[in-house]
Amino acid sequence: MTKNAIIVGASSGIGEGVARLLAREGYIAGITGTREALLNEIKSSMPESFIVKAFDLNDYESVKNNLEDLLNQLGEIDLFILSSGTGKRNPELELVHEVNTLITNIMGFTAAINWAYKYFEGRGEGKLAAITSIAGIRGIAMSPSYSASKSYQIKYLEALRQKSAHSGKRIVVTDIRPGFVDTDMGNGDGAFWISSVEKASKQIINGIMKERGVLYITGRWILISILLKAIPGFIYEKLKL
């Protein structure tokens, strides 16, 4: 039986790594992103395994129609992964960067995840996953809108897991929280415990298939998560992050 998936944000980084891994495991994947040339390069490596649909998640009002078009080409999907997001260190609090981050990570995210959940709700089952971040656990002074928007994503997915638990449907919602991954976006000064894209992608797919609700990439980042949650606010606010 053919397995179908949609990966939003598959032109590079974790999204590309996950898409290629799924293709090797027999999936036909609809891949999206803004950089059509890169998507076509991925398709050319395994032409029968990929369907390309280029669109911008920031145009959140058109997300539903673009995903519907991709779904029509695939027929149906078993798995939906959102790997599209943005963030910028912004100590000067330049408003344009703050707003652009919120448009992608909140408006675009919500439009895509809302569509996917409703699709699986109608279908009666499915696996829905999204890349959030360890940064969503606490506010980060260097990137306020990024950490805040990732916190929103974490809470939104938690709400959907609660909704699914009471729905009688087999909808598995996985919150994927990476630490540092060797991508253009996931690295920076002082980065440690850096995972390769290949390692991160394998752990992501393994966690999704095991129907994990929350997944840290790599697993050791759960220790940082516990520490961040445990630090009292009056101490945390004095840290330089």
Side-chain angles (χ1 to χ4, degrees):
M1 181 178 177
T2 302
K3 299 172 288 186
N4 297 334
I6 288 177
I7 302 99
V8 177
S11 58
S12 64
I14 294 173
E16 178 185 358
V18 167
R20 291 186 182 277
L21 183 58
L22 287 173
R24 290 198 295 270
E25 294 185 359
Y27 274 81
I28 296 176
I31 53 175
T32 84
T34 57
R35 295 172 289 180
E36 189 169 9
L38 293 180
L39 294 172
N40 285 329
E41 284 183 19
I42 296 168
K43 179 178 173 63
S44 68
S45 66
M46 298 179 71
E48 302 302 317
S49 297
F50 296 110
I51 297 173
V52 168
K53 178 71 176 179
F55 65 89
D56 190 347
L57 198 66
N58 283 10
D59 185 9
Y60 54 88
E61 292 183 339
S62 71
V63 165
K64 178 180 178 180
N65 288 339
N66 280 304
L67 290 173
E68 289 284 354
D69 182 59
L70 193 52
L71 175 64
N72 288 337
Q73 295 182 67
L74 288 162
E76 64 177 6
I77 60 170
D78 316 286
L79 171 62
F80 182 94
I81 300 175
L82 176 57
S83 182
S84 181
T86 190
K88 182 179 178 65
R89 292 188 176 194
N90 189 24
E92 296 82 14
L93 293 179
E94 294 183 30
L95 185 59
V96 65
H97 299 315
E98 298 295 278
V99 171
N100 286 343
T101 297
L102 297 180
I103 291 172
T104 302
N105 293 357
I106 293 183
M107 303 301 288
F109 168 91
T110 304
I113 294 297
N114 181 277
W115 177 87
Y117 186 88
K118 286 181 177 178
Y119 168 74
F120 288 135
E121 196 171 42
R123 187 172 181 263
E125 62 180 346
K127 293 181 172 63
L128 186 162
I131 309 293
T132 63
S133 174
I134 194 80
I137 294 172
R138 302 294 291 260
I140 298 176
M142 288 291 289
S143 49
S145 61
Y146 180 74
S147 56
S149 62
K150 288 299 176 178
S151 179
Y152 168 86
Q153 293 179 358
I154 287 170
K155 298 304 182 187
Y156 198 94
L157 295 172
E158 182 178 48
L160 292 185
R161 283 196 298 277
Q162 185 183 61
K163 183 176 178 62
S164 176
H166 295 280
S167 70
K169 313 285 185 179
R170 282 279 303 155
I171 306 172
V172 180
V173 180
T174 303
D175 172 3
I176 302 159
R177 302 178 188 175
F180 294 117
V181 180
D182 190 15
T183 66
D184 290 340
M185 183 177 163
N187 216 326
D189 295 336
F192 61 100
W193 289 349
I194 301 172
S195 170
S196 68
V197 170
E198 182 178 9
K199 182 177 181 179
S201 300
K202 287 180 179 178
Q203 290 191 7
I204 287 168
I205 295 302
N206 186 51
I208 291 172
M209 295 309 164
K210 288 183 176 179
E211 301 188 352
R212 297 277 295 278
V214 178
L215 184 63
Y216 290 91
I217 304 297
T218 56
R220 64 177 69 179
W221 280 93
I222 194 171
L223 300 174
I224 299 296
S225 169
I226 292 170
L227 177 61
L228 286 171
K229 292 175 183 177
I231 299 173
F234 72 93
I235 295 176
Y236 182 82
E237 288 161 11
K238 292 179 171 62
L239 299 178
K240 187 175 182 180
L241 298 177

